[in-house]
């Protein structure tokens, strides 16, 4: 009996036994038994995968990592590899010190717990730890009070301190109140009657937050200056927090967020340089662990299996290898060209095809197409390819990646997100998690999610609802493998629970993808502080020397301001006839206003960049308010380039 038949025998029972924490709302469909129909969609996809994998070698059993390996991997991914015994990392100690200097109290507690566990495990193995945790997290000294290395948006001069800049002090200023930030939506999403604004939500009246699908809510948690882990302290007491109450859906609606405008100071991951993204990953990694721990969610980790890679063709080749080959012809490309062509073909020919992604293509045809594409994909003729076969190639490409699109490292953490009880916290955890993916994987996943959203938007023609698309993609993104042997009843039920959970996660990523690539304010602020702390320690500056240099810089700044006047910036455009220009900023000046002054009819599209100061390099979106950037990073340079 095939595993697919065994799974079908358990479908009716599993539909009632799946935990509610891992189950999404029942999908809306016209059938009498929607859950069973949608589960059969999943099992048919599994059967199709197993048929394609017949004769292949079984996947090796992935073993759990021991305590030392687990903590070493965690500390390395947090940018603290210099604290690991025998580390071969080329990172200098100031990098680890800069990371530690940015942490909040709860984030520091997470690092301390990990480091304690690591050192204790080493002691049990009669190995001497390289540094004692007390040498890193000591009591604050008397001279560590009250300086913030960069101003915030709301305070131009001497703002209240958010983070301490010495590794000896990891305490937060507990006297600082939570700031209230305005909610906003785009003009075309405002209520029909502007004279009657929406009621202000109140935690005491949870019914206020139930809304129909058409009502979009503002994701104001992106603009807060406090980490997510600090906002869920109430979970330890009553099981809910402010966001749980504010962003609560009901049985007849799905939680929807309004798009966020870059003019409110937010940035996308793609707008940051690789160096800033690396440091952003350190903080995101620590914050995600702290956040899940505060929510009571346990994570586990296994060793990545040994995967075979190919150097030629397109199937079974790593994303990095594909991009390296593509960039020889197309410099700067971020998503493999073959993957882009495949998605483009499906968008042009398959969006209105009934059952696209769900209806399997011919196995023999797929085998032939795969061979031809591996041989000469760049000159391949797509005119005779059926949309269902192209959809099969898309799923095959994703499954055959040597490193899964969601990576071996983070797959188990994705599954752990299902243990979060609130959907808004699931979205926040996914946001932190996607920032940890390698850049090539993140960009490819983003292109895939954008395509899947287009498929759902044509569900009236293709009969592929969000839940159907999620069910079909779940076994492909979460790397279902044929193990070639009969599964026990318990493992079959676990597979079915994972099926529903994986589909739920994919549905969340498709629905909320516009938010997932946005960097929250608190993360970018910590990256800025890490850059500034790293720059100071790079030159081994003492505290007294740093203070003297800061005073000298302030004096020089005043001299420069006297030349350019307050709020005036100098924009450099080396590729234009006008090499530079002084521009007076006001509350309405945007990046587009500046780039427009340098544009001509023949000039290509270019962007304004924030360079230096407390950021390495950041591309500013056209409607970004420049005065906010000027207040946060007054010492940066302004550069116009592609």
């Amino acid at each position: 009996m095939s595993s697919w038949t065994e799974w079908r025998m358990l479908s009716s029972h599993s539909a009632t036994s799946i935990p509610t924490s891992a189950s999404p709302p029942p999908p809306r469909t016209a059938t009498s038994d929607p859950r069973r129909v949608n589960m059969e969609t999943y099992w048919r996809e599994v059967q199709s995968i197993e048929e394609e994998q017949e004769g292949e070698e079984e996947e090796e059993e992935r073993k759990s990592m021991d305590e030392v390996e687990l903590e070493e991997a965690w500390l390395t991914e947090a940018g603290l590899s210099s604290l690991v015994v025998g580390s071969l990392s080329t990172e200098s100690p100031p990098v680890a010190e800069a990371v530690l200097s940015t942490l909040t109290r709860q984030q520091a507690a997470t690092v301390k717990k990990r480091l304690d566990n690591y050192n204790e495990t080493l002691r049990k193995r009669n190995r001497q730890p390289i540094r004692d945790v007390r040498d890193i997290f000591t009591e604050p000294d008397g001279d560590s009070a009250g300086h913030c290395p960069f101003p915030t948006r709301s305070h131009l001069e001497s703002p209240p301190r958010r983070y301490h800049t010495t590794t000896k002090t990891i305490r937060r200023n507990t006297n600082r109140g939570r700031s209230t930030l305005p909610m906003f939506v785009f003009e075309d999403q405002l209520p029909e009657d502007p004279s009657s604004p929406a009621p202000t939500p109140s935690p005491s009246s949870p019914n206020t937050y139930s809304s129909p699908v058409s009502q979009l809510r503002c994701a104001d948690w992106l603009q807060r200056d406090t980490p997510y882990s600090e906002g869920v302290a109430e979970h330890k007491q009553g099981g809910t927090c402010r966001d749980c109450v504010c962003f609560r859906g009901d049985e007849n609606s799905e939680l929807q967020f309004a798009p966020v405008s870059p003019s409110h100071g937010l940035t996308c991951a793609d707008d940051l340089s690789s160096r800033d993204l690396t440091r952003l990953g350190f903080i995101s990694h620590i914050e995600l662990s702290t956040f899940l721990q505060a929510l009571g969610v346990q994570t586990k980790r296994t060793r990545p299996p040994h995967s075979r890679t190919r150097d030629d063709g397109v199937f079974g080749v790593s994303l990095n290898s594909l991009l390296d080959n593509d960039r020889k012809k197309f410099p700067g490309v971020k998503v493999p060209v073959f993957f882009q062509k495949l998605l483009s073909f499906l968008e042009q020919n398959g969006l209105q095809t009934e059952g696209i992604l769900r209806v399997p293509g011919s196995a023999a045809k797929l085998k032939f197409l795969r061979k031809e594409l591996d041989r000469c994909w760049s000159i391949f003729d797509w005119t005779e390819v059926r949309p269902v076969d192209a959809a099969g190639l898309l799923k095959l490409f994703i499954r055959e990646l040597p490193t899964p699109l969601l990576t071996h490292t983070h797959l188990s953490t994705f599954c752990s997100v299902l243990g979060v009880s609130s959907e808004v916290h699931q979205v926040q955890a996914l946001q932190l998690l996607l920032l940890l993916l390698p850049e090539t994987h993140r960009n490819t996943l983003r292109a895939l999610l954008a395509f899947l959203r287009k498929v759902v938007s044509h569900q009236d023609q293709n009969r592929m609802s969000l839940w159907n698309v999620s069910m079909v993609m779940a076994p492909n993104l979460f790397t279902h493998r044929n193990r070639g042997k009969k599964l026990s009843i318990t493992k079959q039920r676990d597979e079915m629970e994972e099926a529903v959970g994986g589909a739920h996660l994919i549905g969340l990523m498709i629905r909320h993808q516009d938010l997932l690539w946005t960097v929250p304010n608190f993360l970018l602020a910590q990256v800025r502080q890490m850059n500034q702390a790293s720059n100071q320690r790079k030159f081994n500056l003492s505290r007294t020397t740093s203070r003297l240099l800061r005073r000298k810089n302030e004096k020089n700044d005043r001299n420069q301001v006297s030349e350019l006047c307050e709020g005036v910036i100098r924009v450099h455009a080396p590729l234009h006839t006008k090499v530079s220009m002084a521009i007076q900023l006001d509350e309405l000046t945007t990046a587009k206003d500046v780039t427009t002054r340098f544009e001509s009819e023949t000039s290509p599209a270019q962007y304004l960049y924030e360079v230096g100061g407390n950021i390495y390099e950041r591309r500013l979106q056209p409607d970004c308010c420049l005065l906010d950037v000027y207040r946060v990073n007054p010492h940066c340079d302004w550069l116009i380039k592609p």
Side-chain angles (χ1 to χ4, degrees), residues 372-535:
E372 288 298 306
L373 287 167
D374 274 335
R375 185 174 63 87
C376 54
W377 69 268
S378 59
I379 58 174
F380 181 78
D381 183 11
W382 291 87
T383 55
E384 300 299 324
V385 179
R386 298 185 305 163
V388 291
D389 291 330
L393 290 172
L394 172 66
K395 294 183 288 186
L396 181 64
F397 176 85
I398 295 171
R399 289 198 308 273
E400 292 293 312
L401 287 173
T403 301
L405 197 55
L406 302 180
T407 72
H408 291 298
T409 301
H410 302 298
L411 269 175
S412 58
T413 310
F414 274 97
C415 297
S416 299
V417 173
L418 294 169
V420 178
S421 58
S422 168
E423 182 172 320
V424 67
H425 291 327
Q426 288 180 338
V427 175
Q428 291 169 343
L430 286 174
Q431 183 184 43
L432 295 171
L433 194 47
L434 293 181
L435 290 174
L436 300 181
L437 293 180
E439 189 174 0
T440 53
H441 288 248
R442 185 173 59 250
N443 291 331
T444 305
L445 176 63
R446 185 173 186 175
L448 175 64
L449 293 178
F451 165 72
L452 296 179
R453 179 164 58 182
K454 292 178 182 178
V455 173
V456 175
S457 68
H458 289 76
Q459 60 181 308
D460 291 340
Q461 293 83 30
N462 57 38
R463 306 296 181 188
M464 292 296 292
S465 65
L466 175 65
W467 186 246
N468 283 334
V469 170
S470 302
M471 270 294 184
V472 170
M473 295 305 299
N476 295 282
L477 276 172
F478 288 94
T479 61
H480 175 274
R481 298 289 184 185
N482 177 26
R483 290 172 175 79
K485 57 184 178 181
K486 182 178 179 180
L487 297 177
S488 65
I489 298 295
T490 302
K491 287 187 176 180
Q492 291 171 22
R493 288 172 180 165
D494 290 342
E495 288 271 1
M496 282 186 279
E497 292 181 7
E498 291 176 6
V500 177
H504 177 57
L505 289 178
I506 294 172
L508 283 179
M509 288 190 284
I510 294 174
R511 271 200 290 135
H512 303 300
Q513 58 185 279
D514 290 329
L515 301 179
L516 296 179
W517 321 111
T518 305
V519 180
N521 268 353
F522 75 89
L523 280 183
L524 187 60
Q526 287 186 272
V527 170
R528 290 183 184 278
Q529 185 178 0
M530 191 189 309
N531 285 332
Q532 185 151 325
S534 180
N535 291 336

